[in-house]
Amino acid sequence: MHRFVKLLIGFIVLVTFFTASSGLYEDWLWFSDLGYSQLFWTPLLSKVLFQAVNGTILFLFIAGTLLSIRHAIVTYVNERLRLRLRLVQDMNRPVLKLSQRRVTIWLLIISAVVSFGISFVAGFTGWLDILAFANATQFNQADPIFGKNLAFYFFQLPFLNTLFDSFFGPLFLLTLFTIIFYIVTGVIRFHSRKLWQDGSVSMSISCRKHLAFLIGILFALKAYGYYLDIFQLLYSTHGHVVGAGYTDLNATLPALKLLIVISVLGSILAFISLIYRDSRLLTLPVIGNIVIGILVSSIIPGLIQSFLVIPNELSKEQQYIRHEIQLTRFGYSLDNIREVDYPGNTALTTEALKMDQGTLDNIRLNDARPMLQTYNQKQGIRLYYKFNDIDTDRYVINGEVRQVMMAPREISTPDLDSKAKTFVNMRFKYTHGFGASASFANAVTSEGLPSFAIKDVPPQSEFSEFRLTEPRIYYGELTNDWVVANTTVKEFDYPLGNSNAENSYRGKTGIPLTPLNKLMLSLHHGTPRFYLADEVTPDSKMLVYRNINERVQKLAPFLTYDIDPYMVINAGRIKWIIDAYTTSDALPYSHLDPNQEFNYIRNSVKVIIDAYDGTVDFYVVDPNDPILKTYMKIFPGVFKDANSIPPSLKGHLRYPETLFSIQSNMLKNFHMTNSSVFYNKEDSWDIAKELFDTKPQNVDPYYTIMKLPGEDTPEFVLMLPFTPASSATNTRNNMIAWMAARMDGEHYGELILFKLPKNIEIDGPLQIESRIDQDPKISEQLSLWDQKGSRVIRGNLLALPIGGNFLYVEPIYLQSDKGGSIPEMKRVILAYQDRLVMTETLGLALTQLFGEGAPQPTTPGQGIPLPEPAPQAKLASEQDPQIITSIIDQMNQIRTLLDDLETQLKGLQTNPSETPLE
């Protein structure tokens, strides 16, 4: 029986160990399968090494301290603890008596648990600081105060802070616990004398030496901490400046230097007290450090800020404001923006429009927000298919660059019928999505729906660039669960008549289900089905981390990833492209927005993932970024050169909208490089606003194909307009500038800021929205549509720079209030200078604005005008105004007759004897 219990305990321990390590084992298999084993081993070994070294040092301190008070613990428990429970049979026998050996064992166990527990937590965050410190790359810039290379703040200071935090906090708590213990046990006694008088505190020699050693170490560490605080001043947020200001450098900095001297003296006096028996050598430095610290680091700087700096803020802070402007612009790459003047009021002619034919051919009429609903309704095919979002990109179609809106058709297993959510279906059968749908940005059918360039399942397209040879999507934005592929159960492909098309996974990635792998994966996922299911074979593979966002985050958590991956069709396969950023909050003087955790950002890496087999490639697109250079030293071979990106994929790289939005928000104030203008916020900007769902909101950056001023050919750009900043009493919505990000060929990553003249007013998007609302014919038609039973959706209002002026385009959608209805584009509003028209097509609007000779946008790849609507489809609001007036008069007459009839009916009910109604 005793042997059986031992075997049972051994079995439980073994199962517990394998279960606890099964997740780590799965990760090792997964990293190795993708070819990134060093991304597994380097962090793991670094954490273990850091935890071991840090834990050992802490263990020596903690164990040494606890063992030094071991005798006091034993004495206190065995002799001085008077409250003892006694047995009735032997009144003089104590129930509990501690031995030196037992106390020693328990103190060592406590020391090990505490020290390695603290190190275990610290190792999860500190490992990268250590590796970055050892592999630091220099910047080409130094801080303006201390003259240190910026690499010190990015790579060395975080490591030094990690060291300080790893030791000071635990040792401070240890010292505090030791003092409390000595006081409780009576080893330390306070007398009625004052603390600065000799003999006010009495303690044993061993106690004094023990505390002297601990306090001496703490003072030395605190001096080191004050030294690090000097460099932390460059992140100060006190006062007007982000970074060290006048008070920080003229009051707080000297105070920190004084505290360093006091702490060093305190450490020296503490060690001297090991020889001289005077308790004041310990008490006075502690009291002095606290009092002087409060006085010189808080009170005096506060008085200087209030009475000296604030009354003369600009003159005192001006040079530091210049530092903030310079380093913030560097941190967000605003210093690389090229500024160009744009007239904004050049008269447009038909010849000028013809020169911008490429821009007209790609004016986006399809708005991604209502169009996502259309995609799911028209191309979802089944409930378990779902389009997560719509991506905008460009493709060369028949020799012409065309703007395309595209979305992958992913599998959404949560939308399966509840009875179909069996283990086999969820894990073996419904494993992947299928294909994609796409439409050109300016192509709309006669019903107002997007004209699909890719549609149906299996995907069909008349354009060779969109034809898919491998349409299956095992890895996407909605594939959140693990599956087992290549089992005896055929995987669902797509519905086919009364049956289903099926297939088996043949990708090169996936964890093979060998006997050992089966065991560990079963333990990790808590299921025996790998053994019990007959469907699983030796050729089966387990696919994990299939959500592409989770996948890249698991591989390289030290990078920051864009929240919006986008799909690309390349050589018949679906690829995902994710923008990865190197970010840091360590740049001195750089503005840190409250809504983000960094003040330095670079889009240094493009991550490309195959939607079928999940292979992941990291490509370097900013080789000059020092942070990325450091990561490349830490993880050699992980990052590939941008030249190795297939040319067909390189043409689909986009400037990320997320980064562009961050830079645009920073540019609102940091386009001002004059410190006086910046201080007074004389020329602050704001993001232009538009109406969506009847509410004003910031215009989102939008991709478009256009010919930039001074260029010969149209290109794919990301742009955003700006307006002057508004106040509570002064609202200004005129356009003042617009910024474009280039991304084609050698111009990738270039930012251009086009500034408009300040002596003229050019309408911003919200002003155009107001003009639309104030136009009698347009507002009447929109109001007529937007009644019970239907609602009007106003799409993105695009401000398109053309020929030194602007065209404003806004699509108008109509959607029934009935459930399941689809938004249909019914009208296009086009504005130019003081003219405004609403027509059924963009071509007709151009004709009405610029005459019969106006160029017409062409359908994608076919070179023919977009079809005009049939005459009978025209609405009354676009016919003769006299007809509208006549209809309104007749409706008013009918309303008057109905009112009179209602009055007479009420009178008849009150006086039935009156003459009946005629």
Side-chain angles (χ1 to χ4, degrees):
M1 184 68 181
H2 184 64
R3 183 180 178 185
F4 173 76
V5 172
K6 285 185 175 181
L7 289 174
L8 181 61
I9 293 174
F11 176 77
I12 294 174
V13 171
L14 191 64
V15 170
T16 303
F17 171 77
F18 277 111
T19 302
S21 60
S22 60
L24 195 64
Y25 181 81
E26 180 185 273
D27 286 347
W28 171 66
L29 292 175
W30 181 72
F31 276 90
S32 301
D33 179 58
L34 289 177
Y36 292 110
S37 57
Q38 70 164 302
L39 287 176
F40 174 81
W41 287 114
T42 299
L44 178 64
L45 295 179
S46 301
K47 291 174 186 176
V48 171
L49 181 61
F50 176 78
Q51 291 163 352
V53 173
N54 181 253
T56 301
I57 296 174
L58 283 179
F59 174 77
L60 294 176
F61 274 101
I62 296 174
T65 296
L66 293 181
L67 291 178
S68 66
I69 64 174
R70 172 183 51 184
H71 179 73
I73 295 174
V74 174
T75 301
Y76 180 74
V77 173
N78 290 341
E79 297 180 8
R80 302 188 62 185
L81 192 62
R82 302 298 182 185
L83 299 177
R84 299 178 179 178
L85 294 174
R86 301 179 181 276
L87 296 175
V88 176
Q89 293 85 352
D90 188 355
M91 296 295 293
N92 295 318
R93 181 183 175 187
V95 175
L96 175 65
K97 185 174 182 179
L98 294 180
S99 65
Q100 291 276 3
R101 182 174 177 274
R102 182 181 297 175
V103 171
T104 301
I105 292 173
W106 277 108
L107 291 179
L108 290 175
I109 292 174
I110 292 172
S111 301
V113 170
V114 172
S115 59
F116 286 99
I118 293 173
S119 300
F120 180 79
V121 174
F124 274 97
T125 57
W127 69 273
L128 188 58
D129 292 335
I130 297 172
L131 293 179
F133 173 79
N135 297 275
T137 302
Q138 296 295 298
F139 283 71
N140 294 323
Q141 193 167 344
D143 81 82
I145 303 300
F146 304 114
K148 286 187 172 292
N149 189 281
L150 292 180
F152 171 79
Y153 299 94
F154 280 80
F155 307 121
Q156 296 175 2
L157 189 57
F159 168 70
L160 298 177
N161 281 322
T162 297
L163 284 183
F164 177 76
D165 294 337
S166 298
F167 292 106
F168 182 80
L171 290 180
F172 175 80
L173 294 176
L174 179 64
T175 304
L176 183 63
F177 166 78
T178 303
I179 294 172
I180 293 173
F181 175 78
Y182 279 140
I183 293 173
V184 170
T185 56
V187 177
I188 295 178
R189 292 187 177 91
F190 295 94
H191 304 294
S192 57
R193 303 174 187 178
K194 295 179 180 179
L195 288 177
W196 55 81
Q197 294 179 348
D198 186 23
S200 60
V201 180
S202 63
M203 62 185 78
S204 66
I205 296 175
S206 61
C207 171
R208 190 185 70 254
K209 290 184 175 181
H210 183 204
L211 291 181
F213 178 76
L214 289 177
I215 292 174
I217 295 294
L218 277 181
F219 269 123
L221 283 174
K222 191 59 182 172
Y224 172 69
Y226 285 135
Y227 172 73
L228 297 181
D229 287 342
I230 289 177
F231 302 104
Q232 296 291 345
L233 289 177
L234 299 192
Y235 307 109
S236 171
T237 55
H238 302 135
H240 184 83
V241 179
V242 173
Y246 181 89
T247 302
D248 295 308
L249 296 178
N250 292 279
T252 308
L253 178 58
L256 289 173
K257 292 179 178 179
L258 178 61
L259 289 171
I260 291 174
V261 173
I262 294 173
S263 298
V264 172
L265 288 175
S267 180
I268 294 173
L269 292 175
F271 286 119
I272 290 175
S273 71
L274 291 171
I275 301 173
Y276 296 96
R277 297 182 58 183
D278 190 340
S279 60
R280 290 178 298 177
L281 296 175
L282 296 178
T283 56
L284 290 181
V286 173
I287 297 172
N289 194 283
I290 295 173
V291 173
I292 296 175
I294 294 174
L295 183 65
V296 301
S297 64
S298 299
I299 297 177
I300 294 178
L303 293 174
I304 292 176
Q305 180 70 24
S306 299
F307 295 102
L308 181 60
V309 176
I310 292 180
N312 310 282
E313 196 165 46
L314 180 58
S315 62
K316 296 294 185 183
E317 304 281 28
Q318 190 161 16
Q319 61 175 316
Y320 310 114
I321 293 174
R322 285 196 289 266
H323 299 331
E324 180 185 355
I325 294 172
Q326 177 193 358
L327 285 166
T328 299
R329 286 175 62 85
F330 169 74
Y332 295 94
S333 291
L334 305 184
D335 53 346
N336 294 323
I337 297 176
R338 179 164 60 94
E339 296 186 1
V340 176
D341 290 331
Y342 187 77
N345 62 346
T346 304
L348 286 180
T349 63
T350 55
E351 288 73 19
L353 289 175
K354 290 176 181 178
M355 294 293 292
D356 269 307
Q357 183 68 49
T359 303
L360 299 179
D361 288 343
N362 287 280
I363 291 178
R364 177 165 58 83
L365 301 179
N366 289 313
D367 190 322
R369 292 170 294 189
M371 196 165 71
L372 180 60
Q373 185 177 351
T374 304
Y375 269 51
N376 278 304
Q377 291 278 354
K378 301 295 287 186
Q379 286 295 307
I381 310 297
R382 293 290 187 272
L383 288 176
Y384 41 78
Y385 283 140
K386 190 172 184 179
F387 296 96
N388 186 55
D389 68 351
I390 295 177
D391 302 312
T392 302
D393 199 4
R394 74 286 202 192
Y395 288 80
V396 178
I397 307 297
N398 296 339
E400 300 176 355
V401 179
R402 290 291 181 174
Q403 188 175 357
V404 177
M405 309 183 78
M406 184 176 294
R409 184 183 291 103
E410 296 196 57
I411 193 77
S412 178
T413 51
D415 292 320
L416 284 170
D417 186 270
S418 58
K419 294 181 180 179
K421 293 180 181 179
T422 64
F423 183 87
V424 171
N425 281 346
M426 298 289 285
R427 302 299 184 184
F428 298 162
K429 195 168 188 65
Y430 291 94
T431 58
H432 57 275
F434 202 88
S437 289
S439 55
F440 293 101
N442 70 335
V444 182
T445 67
S446 57
E447 291 87 9
L449 301 177
S451 179
F452 289 104
I454 310 175
K455 60 182 180 180
D456 302 337
V457 285
Q460 305 293 321
S461 178
E462 62 179 289
F463 303 99
S464 60
E465 294 81 0
F466 297 146
R467 288 172 190 156
L468 289 166
T469 56
E470 184 47 81
R472 296 169 184 85
I473 304 172
Y474 283 87
Y475 299 87
E477 295 179 273
L478 300 179
T479 46
N480 298 316
D481 299 318
W482 59 267
V483 296
V484 178
N486 199 24
T487 63
T488 58
V489 177
K490 288 290 186 179
E491 300 163 34
F492 171 79
D493 252 358
Y494 55 88
L496 186 64
N498 294 326
S499 61
N500 295 323
E502 296 177 327
N503 192 65
S504 292
Y505 176 73
R506 291 293 181 267
K508 56 185 177 182
T509 64
I511 300 175
L513 293 179
T514 64
L516 177 59
N517 292 353
K518 273 187 179 183
L519 171 64
M520 298 301 284
L521 295 174
S522 296
L523 291 173
H524 180 57
H525 293 282
T527 175
R529 297 298 293 266
F530 296 122
Y531 288 100
L532 301 180
D534 296 332
E535 296 87 354
V536 177
T537 71
D539 295 326
S540 299
K541 291 182 177 182
M542 186 175 182
L543 311 182
V544 296
Y545 302 117
R546 298 196 302 135
N547 183 291
I548 56 173
N549 295 294
E550 180 188 18
R551 194 173 186 82
V552 294
Q553 186 68 42
K554 182 74 176 178
L555 277 172
F558 45 85
L559 296 174
T560 302
Y561 296 96
D562 200 290
I563 59 174
D564 184 26
Y566 63 98
M567 68 154 288
V568 169
I569 294 178
N570 178 67
R573 297 175 73 94
I574 295 176
K575 301 283 187 178
W576 292 99
I577 300 180
I578 303 179
D579 288 286
Y581 309 97
T582 52
T583 59
S584 175
D585 61 354
L587 180 60
Y589 278 106
S590 181
H591 184 82
L592 181 65
D593 191 279
N595 298 320
Q596 61 196 32
E597 300 177 351
F598 51 83
N599 60 9
Y600 173 93
I601 182 170
R602 295 291 186 272
N603 178 213
S604 300
V605 178
K606 301 287 186 180
V607 189
I608 299 178
I609 306 171
D610 190 283
Y612 179 68
D613 60 26
T615 52
V616 182
D617 293 298
F618 296 87
Y619 292 101
V620 177
V621 292
D622 186 358
N624 298 318
D625 175 28
I627 295 182
L628 182 62
K629 285 183 177 180
T630 300
Y631 291 158
M632 293 172 70
K633 294 177 185 177
I634 298 173
F635 306 104
V638 168
F639 299 96
K640 301 177 181 179
D641 190 87
N643 293 328
S644 60
I645 302 177
S648 55
L649 271 177
K650 189 176 291 188
H652 291 286
L653 298 183
R654 303 188 317 188
Y655 196 90
E657 183 180 337
T658 299
L659 176 60
F660 191 77
S661 296
I662 292 170
Q663 292 174 315
S664 299
N665 279 303
M666 286 295 117
L667 195 65
K668 291 190 296 186
N669 287 317
F670 287 94
H671 70 275
M672 298 178 283
T673 55
N674 182 285
S675 55
S676 297
V677 175
F678 181 88
Y679 174 80
N680 293 303
K681 298 295 185 288
E682 297 174 13
D683 190 26
S684 290
W685 295 351
D686 203 352
I687 306 297
K689 289 180 168 52
E690 65 173 348
L691 288 181
F692 184 75
D693 202 16
T694 71
K695 297 178 182 177
Q697 65 175 29
N698 285 348
V699 173
D700 291 328
Y702 47 91
Y703 293 98
T704 187
I705 293 177
M706 61 175 290
K707 189 171 72 172
L708 288 173
E711 300 296 329
D712 297 326
T713 57
E715 57 186 283
F716 194 56
V717 300
L718 179 64
M719 66 166 293
L720 185 68
F722 294 91
T723 62
S726 299
S727 64
T729 58
N730 185 15
T731 301
R732 302 164 63 195
N733 292 311
N734 58 291
M735 200 187 309
I736 198 167
W738 58 281
M739 186 166 69
R742 306 177 72 181
M743 57 200 83
D744 286 348
E746 62 182 9
H747 298 295
Y748 178 88
E750 293 181 11
L751 294 175
I752 307 176
L753 180 65
F754 295 90
K755 289 188 171 182
L756 301 176
K758 294 185 178 180
N759 60 342
I760 62 173
E761 181 170 314
I762 297 170
D763 285 342
L766 196 59
Q767 289 177 313
I768 298 297
E769 298 278 20
S770 298
R771 285 175 52 191
I772 293 172
D773 291 335
Q774 294 166 5
D775 185 279
K777 293 174 62 177
I778 295 178
S779 62
E780 183 180 13
Q781 181 61 68
L782 296 182
S783 299
L784 183 62
W785 278 341
D786 204 11
Q787 294 179 356
K788 187 175 181 180
S790 63
R791 77 183 180 103
V792 171
I793 301 174
R794 290 161 74 156
N796 282 131
L797 195 152
L798 306 180
L800 298 174
I802 293 182
N805 209 306
F806 290 93
L807 280 181
Y808 303 87
V809 184
E810 183 174 71
I812 301 297
Y813 292 83
L814 188 63
Q815 183 176 17
S816 170
D817 288 340
K818 296 179 180 179
S821 63
I822 300 175
E824 298 177 355
M825 200 200 80
K826 292 299 183 185
R827 293 292 182 271
V828 177
I829 295 177
L830 191 65
Y832 163 67
Q833 290 186 339
D834 59 346
R835 286 177 281 171
L836 188 71
V837 297
M838 182 173 75
T839 63
E840 292 174 306
T841 67
L842 179 60
L844 184 58
L846 288 168
T847 299
Q848 289 192 12
L849 280 182
F850 299 101
E852 292 297 331
Q856 299 293 296
T858 59
T859 53
Q862 297 178 7
I864 59 174
L866 289 169
E868 293 190 10
Q872 62 269 23
K874 291 188 176 182
L875 299 176
S877 63
E878 295 166 2
Q879 298 174 6
D880 192 338
Q882 294 182 356
I883 298 177
I884 298 174
T885 304
S886 175
I887 294 173
I888 293 174
D889 290 342
Q890 292 179 27
M891 291 178 66
N892 289 334
Q893 292 176 12
I894 294 172
R895 187 179 293 110
T896 302
L897 290 173
L898 290 174
D899 291 342
D900 292 342
L901 180 61
E902 183 179 5
T903 302
Q904 293 185 42
L905 285 171
K906 288 180 179 179
L908 182 61
Q909 291 173 356
T910 305
N911 303 297
S913 59
E914 292 184 3
T915 306
L917 294 175
E918 294 181 0

